[in-house]
């Protein structure tokens, strides 16, 4: 989810305004994922590198996260959505940790779309943590590491979308992207709509995936 800052700047508004609009997009896209019957949608909300941003921006993002969980949890519950968190979320503020653990527990048995939110997430760190766990169990194979990734309870990654014209992965789902299809768009995240998601999915459906075969 990239481009909130540029979206706000174009309107001569503070970055916080862009992040706020970005949350509206999260709401629209999670609803669309549900309506389309997607098995899982993973959103990169806060990376392990985002701590480099100014403290006031980090505080704005954490505030929006609190409001989002507070306001949207009931909708997840009502619509059979399962909430998951990937990333090292334990180091976030204690009230946020408590809130997200409560939200995950409340939706744990839901069988509809899984919405995974990546918080304090970095893929290299995730792989290192998973490898250490696999090693502690005495087996460092690709399968053993994969089973310890934060995404172990999610289906394989099929399609990776990045908005705002950047064409890089920025430490997101590196392992999981091994055979994922990629879709890049210049649309800034606050302007991204369900219709863009449907476009991405229909182009995805038309692609031939061979997974190294022929
Ligand atoms: C959102 O967009 C990404 C988050 C960390 C939530 P940015 O804040 O990176 O927006 P740009 O890249 O400055 O436009
Ligand atoms: Mg950015």
């Amino acid at each position: 989810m990239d481009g909130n800052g540029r979206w706000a700047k174009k309107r001569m508004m503070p970055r916080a305004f862009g992040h706020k609009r970005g949350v509206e997009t999260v709401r629209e896209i999670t609803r669309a994922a549900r309506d389309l019957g997607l098995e899982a949608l993973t959103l990169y909300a806060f990376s392990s590198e985002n701590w480099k941003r100014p403290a006031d921006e980090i505080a704005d993002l954490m505030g929006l996260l609190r409001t989002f969980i507070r306001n949207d949890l009931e909708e997840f519950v009502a619509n059979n959505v399962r909430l998951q968190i990937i990333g090292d979320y334990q180091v976030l503020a204690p009230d946020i940790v408590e809130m997200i653990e409560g939200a995950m527990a409340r939706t744990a048995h839901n069988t509809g779309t899984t919405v995974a939110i990546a918080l304090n997430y970095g893929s290299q760190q995730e792989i290192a943590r998973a490898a250490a766990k696999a090693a502690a169990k005495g087996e460092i194979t690709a399968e053993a590491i994969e089973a310890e990734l934060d995404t172990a309870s999610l289906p394989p990654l099929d399609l990776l979308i990045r908005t705002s014209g950047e064409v890089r992965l920025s430490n997101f789902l590196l392992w999981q992207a091994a055979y994922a299809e990629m879709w890049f768009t210049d649309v800034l995240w606050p302007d991204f709509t369900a219709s863009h998601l449907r476009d991405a999915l229909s182009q995805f459906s038309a692609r031939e995936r061979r997974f190294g075969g022929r």
Side-chain angles (χ1 to χ4, degrees):
M1 303 189 281
D2 201 6
N4 293 350
R6 278 162 284 170
W7 184 91
K9 194 173 179 194
K10 279 205 318 201
R11 288 160 181 78
M12 297 197 293
M13 294 295 281
R15 296 178 63 83
F17 182 65
H19 291 314
K20 209 164 169 216
R21 256 309 279 268
V23 177
E24 303 291 320
T25 304
V26 167
R27 207 163 275 134
E28 171 171 356
I29 297 305
T30 52
R31 283 176 186 153
R34 212 171 71 199
D35 294 346
L36 289 159
L38 297 190
E39 207 179 329
L41 172 76
T42 302
L43 299 162
Y44 202 1
F46 194 86
S47 80
S48 33
E49 289 73 35
N50 285 149
W51 296 110
K52 294 180 198 157
R53 295 192 179 199
D56 63 333
E57 182 170 359
I58 295 173
D60 286 339
L61 290 168
M62 294 299 156
L64 286 169
L65 175 61
R66 286 186 179 93
T67 329
F68 178 73
I69 297 174
R70 208 172 286 135
N71 294 344
D72 289 64
L73 178 61
E74 288 315 314
E75 185 173 331
F76 284 0
V77 172
N79 289 281
N80 199 24
V81 170
R82 185 175 70 123
L83 180 74
Q84 287 278 289
I85 303 293
I86 63 167
D88 188 10
Y89 70 86
Q90 302 283 353
V91 306
L92 300 180
D95 70 300
I96 295 184
V97 175
E98 192 181 320
M99 240 159 112
I100 55 191
E101 286 183 341
M104 282 196 284
R106 261 200 86 192
T107 61
H109 300 292
N110 288 351
T111 54
T113 301
T114 296
V115 172
I117 304 180
L119 294 175
N120 190 24
Y121 177 84
S123 189
Q124 292 177 335
Q125 296 88 326
E126 174 198 29
I127 294 167
R129 270 189 271 117
K133 284 188 204 160
K137 293 183 183 171
E139 198 194 4
I140 313 183
T141 60
E143 291 74 23
I145 292 171
E146 191 156 81
E148 303 294 345
L149 292 172
D150 297 356
T151 51
S153 72
L154 300 176
L157 179 63
D158 285 323
L159 172 64
L160 193 146
I161 297 175
R162 183 165 187 161
T163 57
S164 90
E166 311 293 356
V167 188
R168 54 176 173 262
L169 295 184
S170 300
N171 209 11
F172 187 54
L173 302 180
L174 303 180
W175 180 293
Q176 297 84 344
Y179 283 100
E181 296 295 322
M182 311 269 172
W183 199 76
F184 296 97
T185 175
D186 288 338
V187 175
L188 302 174
W189 178 251
D191 289 329
F192 193 82
T193 62
S195 148
H196 295 112
L197 178 64
R198 285 192 299 269
D199 279 355
L201 290 169
S202 74
Q203 287 179 34
F204 166 81
S205 307
R207 291 187 192 174
E208 188 196 352
R209 302 179 79 197
R210 291 195 295 272
F211 299 95
R214 51 174 288 199

